[in-house]
Amino acid sequence: MSYLSSTHIYPIIVENVKLLDRYVGKKPANGSLYLTATHLIYMEASGAARKETWIALHHIATVEKLSITSLGCPLILRCKNFRVAHFVLESDVVCHEVYISLLKLSQPALHEDLYAFSYNPKSSKEMRENGWKLIDPISDFGRMGLPNRYWTITDANRNYEICSTYPPDIVVPKSVTLGTVVGSSKFRSKERVPVLSYLYKENNAAICRCSQPLSGFYTRCIDDELLLEAISQTNPGSQFMYVVDTRPKLNAMANRAAGKGYEKEDNYSNIRFRFMGIENIHVMRSSLQKLLEGTGISPGEFLSGLESSGWLRHIKAIMDAGIFIAKAVKVEKTNVLVHCSDGWDRTAQVCSVASILLDPFYRTFKGLMVREQPIPNSVIPDVNHCLSLPLFASLRCGHLDGDSKEVSPIFTQFLDCIWQLMEQFPCAFEFNENFLLEIHDHVFSCQFGNFLGNCQKDREDLRIYEKTHSVWPFLVQRKPDFRNPLYKGFTVYGVLNPSTLSHPFLQQAQGLSCFASPCIADIISISLAMEILTTRPPGNSLSLIGKSHLAMVYNPLNMLLHSVGYYIVEDFCIYIHKAY
Amino acid sequence: MEFSELIRTGQAQAELLRGPEMPPLRGTLCVTGHHLLLSPGPQATPDLWLLLLRSVDSIEKRVAGDAGTITLRCKDLRVLQLDIEGVEATLDIARSIEALSSLESVITSFPFFYRPKGLRLGESWHFHPPERYYKRVARETRAWRLSEANEDFSLCPSYPRAVIVPRTVDDDALARSARFRQGGRFPVLSYYHAPSGTVLLRSSQPLTGPQKRRCAEDEELLQAVLAGARPGARGFIVDTRSAQAAKQARMTGGGTEAKSAYPGWKRLHRPLERGRPLQESFVHLVEACGDLEQSMDRWLSRLDGCHWLSHVKAALSTACLAAQGMEWEGACILVHGAEGTDSTLLVTSLAQLILDPLSRTMAGFQELIEREWIQAGHPFQLRCAHSAFSHTRPKHEAPIFLLFLDCVWQLGRQFPLSLEFGEGMLLALFDHSYASPFGTFLCNSEKERCLCEVRTRTHSLWSGLNQPKEQRKLRNPLYAPNPLAIWPSVEPQSLRLWQGLFLRWTHPPEPSEVAWEKVWQIATDQEKTEGSQPTDSASEPQP
């Protein structure tokens, strides 16, 4: 912890704090609240198990101080991992003090104040460096068979001259000159020129990505047209190439007035243009907001809340787009170029979903890490994530105190999509739901450097590789916890062909976003699980209870599961209270 | 066979479409007294495709040119399409199916003709009589006795011959109490909760009528229940109707227990849906599940609009209330609605699953269904005459047993290790309750079953299900006995649509079947590696 931030930390200990259950009738727990530099810890005073609740400060999304009641001063914390904690403090003055401290601590203004820069897990420098090398994205390009006859890996962007948000190394068609690439980049929003994201080795069909063209109503760019033509020719087996604009058509048309827009089929040879109708980050943000608010008491209220939030509709739109691309690549054997506005939110989601559908490798631990790996060492293998995830990291996840309009649950949606696939294909993924939850947690926890900064350049500027640790070794260590026991191995499922009906999507109610639900959030906390499992003996891990896939984890969780019985019992006190 | 006059045509060439993921079958179609057969040509596999005509819920025919199409919607929610050569043949086959699938006579139904290899008649019928349960109760307490007052079904036509009643109440008092209850369903023991010494009772509504009549014997009976539990014990009467509805029932001769007449008992109203609204909810849900083209929003709003999950929640909550009253409050619970044959049984059986570890075993669950549904007089024949596709106006149909199975499924999903049986068992029970080659779900009461000689002339479903070859489908490989009560969460986000049932035929079955196989494999491997005494539950099916 840097000196700057520690100035407003007075290791606060507050006694006699109640942690409220949302059930009115239940007697609240009594305990002490410890505010440390990195966590807010609540320890129950009574009870044999001495229940502890740990909340990482970076997880806190909002702090709300309600007016004083007969119980005391309520303080409500809402976390980015959807946990809600409702404390009641005795004194108004102390409550205000805690409130102010939490406000300051939960959203530091500078990158240097993030937990990752002070986190020290007692590992040597060498181990740390090896940690960053654990995931080698270059090999992923190698795995796809790159470079090959048609594609080349170039370090043309080494000084971030072509595009500041791309990694130094990009994959472009061999047949084009650097001039063409640079020329095309001038014609694309934020200079995000079309580059390869994934190559389906079996039939040479490629998924490429870029940002929207600056076409306006009439503008053309010869270099851009040449580049697309060249991309199309990398796949001699196909007569045409899809250009997929993931936005709704209306949004794309509106962009034309601002000098941006989409490709005209007439200007490019042999392209087929498609809109996908995925909404923008602002719609997604308010969708999540509504989802979190809309938890009714009755199934009817819950379902109508779910419906009006539109969350599942958006998830399905992303999945549908991913499925379309995967089918185009696998069945029609054709190249696909994907973009949205800036090509780093929807494009990233959709390309990633498509690659997971196409390639069993991405359904393994290693593959998912590569897919999500935002910080490649030297060569940028996976444009998808190298370019996209980082962006979520700081802007979209709201790590720093900044513009709340840029925050959006893009990454949460991506994990939800994977979760939906896991529900439909229980044996196709090497990892389980907990792995997704863990990653989701770390995206917000800022404990590791992987998800900090918005792009490769940012991360180099922040010296993330020198100053912070990588999350992957930490997760690899705990692989046994994250293993899906039903996984049938690499070769059993090739290309996944999920259902595109609306029906199966209902299951979301128990998925990632379900942690919005007070029911489960009260009983378990993901961050608690993390803390308990890393710092405490596993006997305490009550917090894993309630996740939907426990059925699949056979032996180790046997005991845990039965404790659900004990735990949920408390919920039912309400019946008796209502009844008598 | 007298069916011959209903069969209008011998056979026809047809192609059968069984759903999106299944390959079509071609062959010769043939209608028999109880089945629709399709035998593929000699070049194909010799396997015969067979459909019990009783399981056809509705039939739709269309002819065009010189061919016709018959769409069969089955009671297990499957939709089948038959493309038949020849207009005449199509119409004849359709008419035959229509006539044969709606036969009302019990004793000409298929179970009376079904003679499978390896099963003996009369087997398993003796597995679950009330005497057996009484032995369990008698081991714990002396406060109850087995009464054979209903030996000839004269007290109550919908009760079995023997019922468990307070020891201090004699048969004459029972007879008088029976006259005071609708359909003669006087309060009887449903479950004895040994840890707290309390009991769960069920009955029908008292016939208080507008004059607020009373019955001394009925009041004594309930007093005897409290006295038998422990001194100072309280009781709760869980009425599955709203207070309003209970009051209105007085106009038609029914009513509810007056507070002053039953000291120590307190009445709670927990309205549960039944009858037509429940059937409509089921129909709407199945319609929504069958529409494959709808958008996400439409799907969610239809799911919401059919209220099925609200019914699941209400049933589970009420069962939890009853269970909690016993386990936590040490109170005796009497459950009734109006007739006491529908939502009453739903509540009492679910409460037992929550509280009683024995009822969560394979054998215990079968016994529970036999005791709390079949022998307790749930009118299966009336309630399950038609499923969700029928065009006829529902008269007595209501998917109350399905609602029970759905609630059990929710329990199983929330406590994946605590039930010895798996989803396959629940699906099988659903299928068999609507159409079955076995006699278990035939008729509406024990009395009718005796008249039809169901026990001696048909096979029991339990002997069919307990065959070793069925076990892998029905059992839960993860089962580990859990001695605790299992309290389900009834939060809306914890309740899910039972996809395995409602989307069974629209989903490709393959991924989940592979997963199930894998779970079995893991479970068996685990046992092998552990090497220690394998529990009888997972490895050896019970005889």
Side-chain angles (χ1 to χ4, degrees), chain A residues 22 296-297 300 302 307 313 424 485 501-503 505 507 510 517 551 554-555 558 561-562 569 572 575 580, chain B residues 236 288-289 292 294 297 301 304 313 324 328 417 478 482 487-488 490-494 496 499 511 522 526:
Chain A
R22 76 206 165 93
I297 303 286
F302 176 70
E307 181 199 337
R313 177 160 40 92
Q424 287 196 34
L501 300 181
S502 299
H503 298 131
F505 284 87
Q507 309 219 356
Q510 291 272 332
S517 71
Y554 178 53
N555 211 9
N558 214 330
L561 211 73
H562 285 308
V569 162
F572 275 87
Y575 285 106
Y580 306 120
Chain B
F236 291 97
C289 292
L292 304 183
Q294 61 201 333
D297 288 357
S301 78
D304 174 12
K313 178 185 160 115
Q324 192 145 42
W328 296 86
L417 312 187
L478 303 178
N482 175 0
W487 300 105
V490 294
E491 293 304 317
Q493 44 288 70
S494 314
R496 278 212 210 168
Q499 300 207 16
I522 293 172
Q526 195 102 16

Side-chain angles (χ1 to χ4, degrees), chain B residues 106-153:
Chain B
V106 172
I107 51 166
T108 58
S109 64
F110 184 59
F112 287 85
F113 300 88
Y114 181 52
R115 294 294 175 264
K117 263 184 264 165
L119 296 184
R120 278 197 327 267
L121 273 181
E123 214 175 38
S124 295
W125 277 116
H126 59 279
F127 272 8
H128 316 287
E131 288 82 3
R132 199 176 139 105
Y133 187 67
Y134 175 68
K135 273 189 202 134
R136 235 182 96 186
V137 176
R139 273 202 297 273
E140 307 280 351
T141 172
R142 304 286 302 148
W144 295 82
R145 70 186 179 94
L146 191 70
S147 164
E148 297 190 346
N150 198 36
E151 177 66 39
D152 52 359
F153 304 109

Side-chain angles (χ1 to χ4, degrees), chain A residues 307-324:
Chain A
E307 181 199 337
S308 68
S309 76
W311 180 262
L312 286 181
R313 177 160 40 92
H314 301 317
I315 295 292
K316 184 168 184 296
I318 297 165
M319 294 278 282
D320 283 345
I323 293 167
F324 173 83

Side-chain angles (χ1 to χ4, degrees), chain A residues 150-152 171-177 181 194-195 227 230-232 234:
Chain A
Y150 302 105
W151 294 94
T152 174
V171 182
V172 291
K174 215 174 209 168
S175 61
V176 296
T177 62
V181 173
V195 292
L227 181 57
I231 290 175
S232 186
T234 60

Side-chain angles (χ1 to χ4, degrees), chain A residues 138 141 146-148 150-163 166-182 193-196 227 376 378-383 387 456:
Chain A
I138 313 165
F141 275 151
L146 293 171
N148 65 7
Y150 302 105
W151 294 94
T152 174
I153 304 173
T154 159
D155 63 348
N157 196 32
R158 60 192 165 274
N159 298 320
Y160 306 106
E161 278 157 357
I162 299 178
C163 169
Y166 270 2
D169 300 77
I170 50 182
V171 182
V172 291
K174 215 174 209 168
S175 61
V176 296
T177 62
L178 184 60
T180 310
V181 173
V182 172
V193 61
V195 292
L196 181 127
L227 181 57
S378 51
V379 180
I380 294 323
D382 184 357
V383 188
L387 305 186
Q456 177 77 354

Side-chain angles (χ1 to χ4, degrees), chain B residues 415-435:
Chain B
F415 299 90
L417 312 187
S418 295
L419 303 184
E420 195 182 8
F421 46 92
E423 186 180 31
M425 177 74 177
L426 302 175
L427 289 174
L429 287 171
F430 167 72
D431 294 347
H432 285 285
S433 67
Y434 277 90

